[in-house]
Every structure is written in structure tokens, then in C-alpha cells.
Amino acid sequence: MKPTSKLLVALLLVAFTAMPALAQKTIRWKLAMTWPSTLTPLASPPIKLAKMVEEMSGGKFLIKVEGKEKHKAPLGILDMVRGGQYQMGHSASYYWKGKDISLVFFTTVPFGMNAEEQYAWFYYDDGMKLMEKAYDKFKVLSFPGGNTGVQMGGWFRKEIKSLDDLKGLKMRIPGLAGEVFAKLGVNVTNIPAGELYTSLDRGTIDALEWVGPGMDIKMGFHKIAPYYYTGWHEPASEMQYLINKRAYAKLPPEYQEMLKVAMKATAADMFSENFADSANAWAKMKTDYPNIKVKTFPKPVLKAMKKATDDLLNGYAAKSPEFKEILDSQRAFMKKARAWTIISEYNYIKTCEELKN
Ligand code: CA
């Protein structure tokens, strides 16, 4: 065969191989987020995922991302994806604890795993399997969707020196951590994000927790509450992709694979974006507001928080076999993972810090 004929045959082969993809009609999906479209880094994963999937599919798989400013139902994402109004969602699993308390584990639990440990549990232990099982009753699939890493314990107007200082304290702190604080006498309230600054400024609340420096700096809490407590309650908050099962089943396998790859890539990307945001914001906060005092809760307070957390978790486990199965899995994996974290990351950082002296 002449070189030109060879080239023709090769071109024809390429054309035939590409034909099924070219013949594929354009698929249009919608994704609803709990967050406003501008709230990075939480809104970043779905926005980047839509772009990746569009490019990987040669413009044949299009996902329209809508923030809460559009659909006005930030806490209705699971229902909307289940009902099929949206094929996909981006939210956080612990928002559905009112529907099923077991779902908190797929975000984070107080004194639980850090992000590295938790991702290892998701992808290389039983995490994904248990999450699939837990979401099966809603006819949706759930995938990790980005992690905040360790969240800070929050901004306090006054220093917490003992357990007595928690009694009657008015604080915004959601989730299981809110239940823990309520057990310790804190008056736990839930206030919409837009009213938090004013509530703290006017003394309607004495303290609040949000995320970490990267997201906190935009809220301005550091200007009005000088005590910044270190974390215990959300050590690895994982965001969540939700997919309607019927819609997913109808996708060609190559598009299913594109979604899976893009979800995993954007989840990891948010972890890095949030880390960088926090490193930059913390450097700026410390310079602009040198009076910020970073504190760790006193040991008796932390011990009481830990005990209240264990009592709560064990209490739920006694009532729900599903909750118990996930709790047991996380505890068993964390035991091994933490032992490794301590001899690796923890010791490395400790060694570097000690060399400074
Ligand atoms: Ca938080």
C-alpha cells in the first residue's frame, strides 16, 4: 500500500471509531447547589466539573449549574435530585440528618477523621459502599464533592476558661456539634448566614462557628470577636455530589466515567483551593488584626465535649443498626489511620517545629 493510501485507511479508521461519539445527541443536565454561585471554594467543584465534562465530551454533555440565588431552596437539594427536577446536586450530607441521622458520617463528625484519613476511608475502605447503601432509599447516588479540612472552632467575644463559661452562652453551631454544645449548657441557635455578622456584633449571639480563615475573612467576624478557637467539631467536612439514579443509568458508559473522573478531580481541587485560601487569609488577618487570639479550649472543656460526643454517637447507634454499622466502620478505620498519621504527618510537623527552638 502507498503511504497516501495507508494514511487514508488510518483516517477512515479514526472516523469510524469516533462515529458513535459524534452520533451521540447532546445531553443536557441541571445541577442545583446549596451555595450561592459566587461562594467559593464551596461552589467551585460543580462549576469546574461542568466545564470539564463539556470539554471531555466535545460539547455533547452539558451541565447547567444553578446556585441558591436561582432555585431558592438551598436545603432542598436532596429532594430536588430525588424528584428529578435536577439530575445532580452539590451540598453536604449532614444537612439531611433530619431525614436520616446516619448521613452525618459522610460529611464529618466531632473528633472524627481528618481529610486524608477520611478520603482513604471513602475510596480505599468501606466509605463509598456504605454511602451508596445509605442513599439507596432516596434513589440517588452520592459521591465526595470537596473537603474543607479541619474547621476552626469559631469566633468568641469572650474567652472560655472553664465549663461554667459555656453555660448560657448563645452560639450558632449546627449539626452534631450543636447537640454536643447543647448538652454542655450552651444555648444553641441557628441563624441564616446573612444575619450572622449583625447578630454577633449586637450581642444577639456570643459566639459562632463558620469554616476557617479563607471563608471567615469574607464574613468579617474577626473584626468584632477576638478569640479564635481551634477545631474539634468539623475535622474534615466533605461536600457532596448527588445524582438521580435513573438519570445516571440512562447515561452512556463513557459519560458516566467522565462524571466520576470529574467529581473526584474537583473534590480534590476544592481541598487545595480552600487550603490556599485559608493560608492567604490567615496571613492577612494576623497582619491587619494583631489582636486576634488563637485559643484551644481548656482540657476539661474538651474532655466534656468528647464525652458528650461519644454519648451522642453511642446513643444513636443503640437506636439504629445502620448508624452503628457506619460508626463501627469509621472507628475501626480511624484507629489504624490515626496511628499512621501520628508516626508520619504529625511527627514530621512536630520535628520541624522543634527545630525552630
Ligand atoms: Ca462549620
Side-chain angles (χ1 to χ4, degrees), residues 37-315:
S37 299
T38 49
L39 191 70
T40 57
L42 302 186
S44 302
I47 293 168
K48 291 178 184 172
L49 168 125
K51 197 166 179 287
M52 273 181 202
V53 166
E54 181 177 353
E55 286 175 9
M56 285 194 276
S57 67
K60 294 284 187 182
F61 186 10
L62 303 175
I63 301 172
K64 191 175 172 215
V65 178
E66 292 183 354
K68 80 162 194 191
E69 72 283 355
K70 176 94 179 171
H71 57 69
K72 315 263 191 249
L75 300 180
I77 309 295
L78 175 56
D79 289 334
M80 294 193 293
V81 174
R82 183 189 194 178
Q85 292 108 298
Y86 289 85
Q87 289 81 8
M88 275 187 92
H90 191 257
S91 190
S93 189
Y94 65 1
Y95 291 138
W96 327 124
K97 85 180 179 85
K99 294 180 192 289
D100 178 355
I101 187 71
S102 313
L103 302 178
V104 296
F105 289 111
F106 308 113
T107 307
T108 189
V109 286
F111 300 106
M113 291 181 273
N114 73 9
E116 289 90 342
E117 294 162 347
Q118 191 170 280
Y119 272 133
W121 176 74
F122 268 123
Y123 295 128
Y124 290 95
D125 197 70
D126 287 336
M128 291 302 290
K129 194 181 77 190
L130 291 169
M131 183 155 71
E132 191 175 337
K133 193 172 154 191
Y135 276 95
D136 195 53
K137 55 180 143 335
F138 301 105
K139 304 280 177 264
V140 296
L141 296 166
S142 172
F143 294 86
N147 202 292
T148 65
V150 174
Q151 295 200 5
M152 289 296 281
W155 297 94
F156 288 68
R157 286 158 57 101
K158 290 191 198 117
E159 190 177 352
I160 302 299
K161 291 182 181 152
S162 71
L163 276 167
D164 282 344
D165 292 332
L166 288 180
K167 306 257 185 303
L169 188 92
K170 284 170 285 173
M171 180 170 187
R172 179 267 179 196
I173 178 163
L176 275 183
E179 293 179 40
V180 169
F181 260 168
K183 270 176 170 269
L184 302 183
V186 174
N187 185 355
V188 176
T189 59
N190 204 0
I191 294 170
E195 294 162 28
L196 283 174
Y197 182 90
T198 321
S199 302
L200 186 63
D201 195 31
R202 291 188 185 155
T204 314
I205 50 173
D206 309 302
L208 55 79
E209 74 77 53
W210 192 236
V211 182
M215 292 194 68
D216 293 5
I217 198 169
K218 300 173 205 165
M219 303 293 277
F221 305 135
H222 56 292
K223 298 173 189 167
I224 48 176
Y227 296 96
Y228 201 17
Y229 276 87
T230 58
W232 63 279
H233 66 306
E234 292 197 59
S237 289
E238 184 67 37
M239 304 304 118
Q240 168 192 42
Y241 280 114
L242 284 165
I243 308 183
N244 178 287
K245 263 191 158 174
R246 268 170 300 138
Y248 185 78
K250 280 191 225 155
L251 280 182
E254 62 268 33
Y255 289 5
Q256 291 179 345
E257 199 57 33
M258 281 176 205
L259 265 188
K260 282 199 243 170
V261 168
M263 286 190 291
K264 203 167 179 179
T266 52
D269 186 76
M270 191 199 110
F271 183 49
S272 305
E273 184 183 359
N274 185 62
F275 193 100
D277 283 357
S278 280
N280 289 323
W282 179 233
K284 186 169 164 47
M285 270 184 194
K286 275 195 304 181
T287 314
D288 296 353
Y289 293 85
N291 290 332
I292 297 173
K293 292 172 190 70
V294 175
K295 294 273 176 189
T296 295
F297 291 108
K299 207 163 177 191
V301 172
L302 283 164
K303 277 193 160 174
M305 288 171 176
K306 176 76 169 72
K307 185 175 181 311
T309 300
D310 289 341
D311 289 349
L312 259 177
L313 294 175
N314 293 335

